[in-house]
């Protein structure tokens, strides 16, 4: 029986684990992949407070080590099912089964991929899903933004602060973004548009230097190449990892877990933190903030319930 189990070992989960273990709660973090989660796949993080620049894998490792130094246990397991509705929260993984008084869900959300060959191969080497993280690496270079909604247009406008030219590649012949954003993009001399086009392949040597586009009206393809590296920024939405929880916690229309400002879900003793939450900004720094808030409130929940709701948990 753990006091707090955290599902997900990204920045939100590791921060929650740090705070829980430091408060002397018996803490378990379950991560199915690598310590640090998606952040481990990010290179050259330059916007985490107090650190000029750090590799994502190193940051994830440091966060994990810090949590473990305070007593948090981290296991590598993939959660198959959960029962969070009772006083005892039950989690079944492929390796083992676990029980806790409180659970923090920090399973994150994955950027929706184009699905083109080469996309995953060149992730972090020309393909990015975060302009705040990576736009500065393309100062004076060309950048191609994939998408036509609010996020894509907002990010394209932001990237013009760094790039020589930004091309918005959209599969339709008009943007889906709000009219005010469209107007800003159309009036920006550094933004141009490639309509009715989809990415069918991404190529390169060590970094991206070629992208194949297909016109979905004519069927013709064109190759965009450059002697210099160029950036491909994909903004076609996110896929939240909420499948395990959707029948138990309240989920928003776009698939994210609904919480209040204290990271509480609709279930007593169940909290959510990081990119899995229904919010607008998804960055390492506010994921860590979510984790801290969730952990502190999970501790309060347990402390208030001890001797009452969890009378049966006391060792004889």
């Amino acid at each position: 029986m753990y006091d707090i189990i955290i599902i997900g070992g990204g920045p939100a989960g590791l921060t929650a684990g740090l705070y829980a273990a430091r408060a002397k709660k018996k803490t378990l973090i379950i991560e199915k992949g690598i310590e640090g989660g998606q952040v481990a796949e990010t290179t050259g993080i330059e916007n985490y407070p107090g650190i000029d620049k750090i590799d994502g894998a190193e940051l994830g490792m440091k966060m994990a080590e810090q949590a473990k130094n305070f007593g948090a246990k981290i296991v590598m397991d993939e959660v198959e099912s959960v029962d969070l509705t009772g006083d005892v929260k039950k989690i079944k993984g492929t390796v083992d089964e676990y029980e806790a008084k409180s659970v923090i869900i920090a399973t994150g959300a994955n950027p929706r991929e184009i699905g083109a060959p080469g996309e995953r191969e060149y992730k972090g080497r020309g393909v990015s899903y975060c302009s705040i993280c990576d736009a500065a690496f393309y100062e004076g270079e060309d950048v191609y933004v994939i998408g036509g909604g609010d996020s894509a247009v907002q990010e394209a406008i932001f990237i013009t602060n760094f790039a020589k030219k930004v091309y918005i590649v959209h599969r339709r012949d008009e943007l889906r973004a709000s009219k005010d954003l469209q107007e800003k993009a159309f009036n920006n001399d550094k933004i141009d548009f490639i309509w009715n086009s989809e990415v069918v392949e991404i190529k390169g040597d060590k970094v991206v230097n070629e992208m194949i586009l297909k016109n979905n009206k004519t069927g013709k393809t064109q190759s965009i190449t450059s002697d210099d590296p160029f950036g491909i920024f994909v903004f076609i939405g996110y896929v939240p990892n909420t499948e395990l929880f959707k029948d138990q916690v309240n989920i928003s229309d776009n698939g994210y877990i609904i919480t209040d400002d204290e990271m509480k879900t609709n279930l007593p003793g169940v909290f959510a933190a990081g990119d899995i939450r229904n919010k607008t900004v998804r960055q390492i720094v506010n994921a860590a903030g979510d984790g801290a808030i969730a952990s502190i409130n999970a501790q309060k929940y347990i402390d208030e319930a001890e001797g009452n709701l969890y009378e049966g948990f006391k060792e004889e």
Side-chain angles (χ1 to χ4, degrees), residues 27-279:
T27 304
L28 177 69
I29 302 169
I30 303 173
E31 167 57 42
K32 70 176 182 179
I34 186 171
E35 293 174 354
Q38 288 186 58
V39 74
E41 302 175 10
T42 305
T43 57
I45 296 168
E46 297 180 321
N47 58 351
Y48 195 81
I51 300 175
D52 289 336
K53 186 174 182 180
I54 190 169
D55 184 76
E58 184 182 359
L59 179 61
M61 180 185 68
K62 286 180 177 292
M63 285 182 163
E65 286 302 317
Q66 191 175 18
K68 286 188 281 190
N69 287 341
F70 278 105
K73 181 180 178 181
I74 300 177
V75 298
M76 295 297 150
D77 198 353
E78 183 167 2
V79 176
E80 293 182 334
S81 63
V82 297
D83 182 358
L84 306 177
T85 57
D87 296 344
V88 177
K89 317 301 179 184
K90 299 179 180 180
I91 299 168
K92 184 179 185 300
T94 57
V95 177
D96 208 344
E97 297 182 8
Y98 315 90
E99 293 184 347
K101 304 172 186 177
S102 180
V103 165
I104 298 172
I105 302 168
T107 48
N110 298 319
R112 193 179 300 278
E113 297 179 348
I114 304 166
E119 179 180 9
R120 292 187 177 181
E121 181 182 353
Y122 290 99
K123 183 179 179 181
R125 297 192 292 141
V127 177
S128 175
Y129 304 86
C130 176
S131 64
I132 295 175
C133 310
D134 298 330
F137 295 122
Y138 297 96
E139 188 159 4
E141 307 289 349
D142 288 340
V143 165
Y144 295 83
V145 170
I146 315 302
D150 283 354
S151 294
V153 176
Q154 282 177 332
E155 303 294 355
I157 293 169
F158 172 76
I159 294 170
T160 60
N161 293 314
F162 306 93
K164 177 176 65 177
K165 189 77 174 179
V166 177
Y167 299 87
I168 296 179
V169 181
H170 189 38
R171 61 181 179 175
R172 297 185 175 91
D173 57 6
E174 61 181 8
L175 298 173
R176 293 182 292 107
S178 61
K179 294 300 181 183
D180 62 323
L181 282 174
Q182 290 190 40
E183 186 176 348
K184 289 178 182 178
F186 291 138
N187 291 331
N188 193 316
D189 293 337
K190 294 181 73 174
I191 295 179
D192 208 344
F193 301 85
I194 302 175
W195 302 109
N196 300 310
S197 295
E198 300 177 25
V199 180
V200 294
E201 190 171 2
I202 296 169
K203 299 180 179 181
D205 185 9
K206 293 182 179 179
V207 295
V208 170
N209 58 25
E210 183 178 5
M211 176 173 61
I212 310 297
L213 299 179
K214 179 180 179 180
N215 187 294
N216 53 34
K217 284 195 171 181
T218 66
K220 293 182 179 180
T221 60
Q222 64 168 313
S223 174
I224 295 173
T225 61
S226 174
D227 293 334
D228 298 317
F230 59 84
I232 301 171
F233 285 76
V234 181
F235 301 110
I236 54 176
Y238 282 81
V239 181
N241 299 313
T242 52
E243 188 66 27
L244 286 169
F245 318 106
K246 64 180 184 180
D247 294 329
Q248 298 179 52
V249 299
N250 289 341
I251 304 290
S252 67
D253 291 339
N254 55 351
Y256 293 91
I257 294 177
I258 298 171
T259 72
D260 62 12
D261 291 341
E262 295 184 330
M263 309 300 145
K264 295 177 181 177
T265 70
N266 58 298
L267 295 178
V270 179
F271 304 80
D275 289 358
I276 197 70
R277 288 182 58 232
N278 190 36
K279 57 181 183 176

